[in-house]
Amino acid sequence: MPCRFSRVAVVASVALAPLAQAQRPNPLVATREGQLSAATSAPFNDFGASLALDGELALVGSPGIASAAGSQVGAAYLFQRTASGWTEIAELRASDGAANDRFGISVALEGDTAVVGAFTADATAPDSGALYVFERIGGTWTETQRLVGIGADIGEGLGWSLALQGNTLIAGAADDHHSGGAFNGGAAYFFERTPTGWVQRQRVIAGDGEAFDYFGHAVALEGNTLVVGAWSDNHSYGANGGSAYVFRRVGASFVLSQKLIPADNGSNDRFGWDVNLRAGELAVGAVGDTINGGYEAGSVYVFADSPTGFVQRQKLVATVPHQAALFGSSVALHGNGASNSALLVGSMQAHSPVGQYSGNAFLFERSAAGFVATLQVRSTALEQGANFGAEVEWEGELALVAAPGDDSRVLGMNTGATFAYRIEPEIERYCSPKPNGLGCMPSIQWSGSPSLSSSAPFTIGATDVLNRRTGLLMYGYAPNAAPFQGGTLCIAAPLRRTTTQDSGGSASGDDCTGTYTFDFGAWLRSGLDPELSAGVDVFTQIWSRDPLSSPAIGLTDALRLRVRP
């Protein structure tokens, strides 16, 4: 074994026999990466009123920003994730921005295209609203088009919500007064990208829309499916019960396919406050739902698409529901709609350890019985009224949670803030093992959870290794994929290692009945390695002697694990 591996501890061994069978479902963990804030932050900017995330690029709306044109002109900010954190790379402003436009109330981002809504811009009429399209050209984000709604009238608020996918853009106008004479009935405008720019194709309305339905308050788009929330819809279940309308694209237009109202919907539930589509699943927030007597505690309904339309699968509430929490303020589905799917739910007035009504976000993971609450994603740097969870976005391993009401201790009231998190499985395999001299593939295993405080066992071991051979566990704080002794070294230097142990197995002959087990939980709790702190990623691999191969060593695949408090 090369001398650059320094021995730091003796890690105890325990019986390995049940290891593979005991390996529990792998939960997700959230680690805060940092805080996004604009260079021009000031009181009442409402930074984080809207969010969009595409890869490692984030777009954050700040509709309260003032300029020489007046107050509440608005802006939106692009941030790039780098090795050193999130960096502001561009400030987007409307070329014709004016006072009270509220540019940034909604944002959408995909590839080299960004769209920003200004729902009270005086476009075709006072407060009719407008959309601004920006393209990344030669590395610079440039405004390329201003969109207005054909037929948009006074106070209709085009751009309250946005959904962008490929060449399709949907913009909600929740205050739209459509042809039925429904004041604030709402509409959703469908624009399509053509070789010469974006063109309006359709003004989508609810066939049964009435005044003050606010159809278009939330929109979601996936493939040929469009869902529009109407949180104030009055129906047989109650006033302001809310609904969600499902449209399917047929040719060049969207056609109403279904109207969703939960069977337990009641007055003032505000079902349809937020909507999100992913992999055939639909999440709908109902922020006004009364839970256990708590008015406006809120809930989220999950639906699954089927040949006959969307079918309700589950109703979710907070782990500790309370009055006025507004659980369901924002929703973000994640995964492929199957066993690995998850859901992040904002509850912008939930209580947290830092104070009442500061806001919270809840993570739900799929189990055999449906979505189950597993953890809370929260910031401890907030105060009452921060509205943490008013907006959430989640893509890949990255999630954003906005607190547009956050009062910066330096900059003042309602400056706003947005927080970035990594949400990943607690433990993940990576890298490839080296086949041993008998052709077996040694496999790294684990049982339990890597926690600094829990006394429950957490072991890391290996199966399918040669019998009666010594081995040890190595770990470090960065991954690697370097050729090493005929295999792959999966951990970057500097490496730590345990003392050796015998693999056991058959008492005679050579076979692959050997196993290793190292009690890594005891080492975590020992405090002997100060770098093993909560939120740290640790990378582990098991080395063993293998005289039947050349060079005469064995290497398993590797694990990345996130240390829990």
Side-chain angles (χ1 to χ4, degrees):
M1 195 66 185
C3 62
R4 66 175 179 273
F5 300 156
S6 61
R7 181 178 300 172
V8 296
V10 176
V11 178
S13 63
V14 295
L16 181 63
L19 186 65
Q21 293 76 21
Q23 190 165 308
R24 70 189 191 117
N26 197 7
L28 295 173
V29 290
T31 302
R32 180 173 156 183
E33 271 201 341
Q35 179 176 335
L36 283 63
S37 57
T40 55
S41 293
F44 302 105
N45 280 357
D46 300 331
F47 179 85
S50 58
L51 298 175
L53 184 61
D54 185 56
E56 295 187 326
L57 190 65
L59 180 59
V60 183
S62 188
I65 282 186
S67 74
S71 63
Q72 299 193 66
V73 176
Y77 297 87
L78 282 156
F79 294 84
Q80 181 69 55
R81 185 193 190 206
T82 68
S84 59
W86 289 86
T87 302
E88 180 185 325
I89 61 170
E91 179 186 64
L92 307 183
R93 291 187 183 252
S95 57
D96 60 350
N100 301 312
D101 277 1
R102 300 284 288 171
F103 173 95
I105 195 67
S106 61
V107 294
L109 177 66
E110 186 179 75
D112 293 327
T113 302
V115 183
V116 183
F119 83 113
T120 46
D122 299 339
T124 56
D127 294 343
S128 58
L131 314 175
Y132 294 81
V133 180
F134 295 82
E135 303 286 345
R136 180 163 45 188
I137 302 171
T140 301
W141 289 87
T142 304
E143 182 186 323
T144 57
Q145 199 170 357
R146 176 178 180 260
L147 304 177
V148 298
I150 299 173
D153 205 346
I154 297 173
E156 296 198 344
L158 175 70
W160 177 263
S161 58
L162 289 172
L164 173 64
Q165 184 183 70
N167 294 323
T168 301
L169 172 64
I170 304 295
D175 296 328
D176 188 88
H177 325 314
H178 48 70
S179 56
F183 188 79
N184 291 355
Y189 287 74
F190 163 33
F191 297 87
E192 187 170 35
R193 180 162 27 202
T194 71
T196 58
W198 292 88
V199 176
Q200 182 179 324
R201 296 298 192 199
Q202 187 182 2
R203 188 187 194 189
V204 181
I205 61 173
D208 61 350
E210 297 178 340
F212 301 106
D213 279 357
Y214 298 112
F215 173 95
H217 182 270
V219 294
L221 180 66
E222 182 180 52
N224 292 321
T225 301
L226 167 66
V227 178
V228 182
W231 64 265
S232 191
D233 184 23
N234 298 331
H235 42 65
S236 58
Y237 291 94
N240 301 329
S243 60
Y245 293 79
V246 179
F247 297 83
R248 309 286 189 178
R249 185 168 180 176
V250 180
S253 61
F254 284 94
V255 177
L256 179 62
S257 170
Q258 195 176 5
K259 181 177 181 179
L260 302 176
I261 304 172
D264 65 345
N265 187 259
S267 295
N268 299 312
D269 276 4
R270 288 181 272 173
F271 173 84
W273 184 268
D274 195 24
V275 295
N276 187 246
L277 271 172
R278 189 179 184 95
E281 286 191 308
L282 168 65
V284 183
V287 294
D289 197 1
T290 299
I291 305 297
N292 298 336
Y295 179 69
E296 292 186 333
S299 63
V300 171
Y301 293 81
V302 179
F303 299 82
D305 207 354
S306 74
T308 58
F310 281 93
V311 178
Q312 183 181 325
R313 297 298 190 200
Q314 201 171 0
K315 178 179 180 178
L316 306 175
V317 298
T319 49
V320 183
H322 67 80
Q323 183 169 316
L326 301 181
F327 178 90
S329 305
S330 54
V331 289
L333 286 160
H334 187 268
N336 62 10
S339 59
N340 73 337
S341 59
L343 173 65
L344 187 60
V345 179
S347 183
M348 68 180 185
Q349 291 190 172
H351 300 337
S352 78
V354 299
Q356 294 186 335
Y357 307 110
S358 59
N360 215 336
F362 296 84
L363 182 65
F364 292 80
E365 294 183 59
R366 175 82 73 190
S367 72
F371 284 109
V372 176
T374 55
L375 61 87
Q376 297 180 42
V377 180
R378 59 170 55 146
S379 172
T380 57
L382 298 173
E383 69 293 314
Q384 183 171 328
N387 291 338
F388 180 86
E391 293 288 327
V392 296
E393 283 287 318
W394 188 5
E395 181 174 313
E397 67 172 22
L398 300 176
L400 301 177
V401 183
D406 181 42
D407 301 341
S408 167
R409 274 101 177 131
V410 176
L411 298 171
M413 184 177 293
N414 289 3
T415 299
T418 295
F419 299 89
Y421 297 85
R422 278 183 299 135
I423 301 180
E424 300 173 291
E426 181 177 75
I427 302 174
E428 284 185 305
R429 294 178 183 274
Y430 72 100
C431 211
S432 299
K434 176 188 174 183
N436 67 22
L438 293 178
C440 299
M441 301 293 284
S443 176
I444 198 164
Q445 306 286 340
W446 79 92
S447 178
S449 182
S451 170
L452 295 170
S453 58
S454 174
S455 59
F458 172 60
T459 58
I460 300 175
T463 58
D464 296 321
V465 298
L466 288 180
N467 57 318
R468 298 178 293 112
R469 300 294 192 274
T470 56
L472 55 80
L473 181 143
M474 309 178 292
Y475 76 91
Y477 294 100
N480 195 8
F484 179 73
Q485 299 288 296
T488 303
L489 182 61
C490 306
I491 310 168
L495 305 183
R496 282 77 166 166
R497 71 175 190 175
T498 69
T499 54
T500 60
Q501 64 175 246
D502 190 275
S503 63
S506 299
S508 61
D510 292 316
D511 58 30
C512 299
T513 59
T515 59
Y516 297 109
T517 298
F518 301 91
D519 186 355
F520 203 71
W523 177 237
L524 283 172
R525 294 187 294 274
S526 73
L528 294 174
D529 184 351
E531 291 189 59
L532 287 172
S533 56
V536 166
D537 280 342
V538 180
F539 301 84
T540 70
Q541 186 176 22
I542 292 177
W543 172 96
S544 62
R545 295 200 179 277
D546 182 359
L548 303 183
S549 67
S550 180
I553 70 160
L555 292 167
T556 65
D557 49 348
L559 296 178
R560 178 205 57 78
L561 59 94
R562 181 78 50 78
V563 179
R564 286 179 176 263

